[in-house]
Amino acid sequence: MFQLKGRVALVTGGSRGIGRAISVALARAGAFVVVNYRGNEAAAHETLEEIRKAGGDGAILGFDVADPAAVDEAIQGIVERHGSLDILVNNAGLAIDQLLMRVKPEEIDKTFATNVAGAIYCAKAAIRPMMRKKHGRIIQISSVVAESGNPGQVVYSASKAALIGMTKTLAREYASRGITVNTVTPGFIETDMTANLPEAARQGILAQTPVGRIGRPEEVAAAVLFLASDEASYVTGQTLGVNGGMYV
């Protein structure tokens, strides 16, 4: 089950955390995985090394998803070099946490440029080669706060909620072309961002999570793997929560 042999995948923001786990999971299932990064090339090389240790193969590719020309060039290059782009995982994201009264206009612009416009640019560039092949998987990595809200994350939660609306519309537009579009909404996951949480904050999160623990990146990656697979060909326009029951 969930075999991706012969598929080509692009994971944006794939060099660390959830993106790294997704990249490794897709590669382990047989996909050739292009790991996108913006600035941390060393971390991208580490992800590629993990992919190869897992028996997979891939490449790294640096570009900013918020730059539409760079996105077009990158995805065109992937198709030219590898023959197709079958799976796009829009994982690249930015969080600038502030209460609304303290949010600066440039912080709004920067967050939406990466989290929303970046996902749209990547999807737009990927749709054409997917249409030619009459097959494609687009998977957005949103967040539980897009559904539940969270104090101090008004801009981030709004940007991540936008991905859900984008998913539903694209699913309707391209289902007839063999392309499915879905969203995964992780809860609190053990990454660099959560590793340094104060103990009081960690306990507060656990108190809100029925399963009683913080999630692992590999658990998010497993959901993405399913949605990328042929077994999920009748699933589109959906939001799959991986949050331990934090939002139901």
Side-chain angles (χ1 to χ4, degrees), residues 38 91 132 135 185-186 191 217:
R38 186 177 64 176
N91 172 73
R132 285 198 296 266
H135 176 277
T185 51
T191 64

Side-chain angles (χ1 to χ4, degrees), residues 20-21 24 28 45-56:
R20 176 176 290 182
V24 172
R28 186 180 286 119
H45 278 293
E46 290 172 5
T47 300
L48 184 58
E49 185 177 344
E50 286 198 26
I51 283 172
R52 289 174 175 161
K53 284 181 180 177

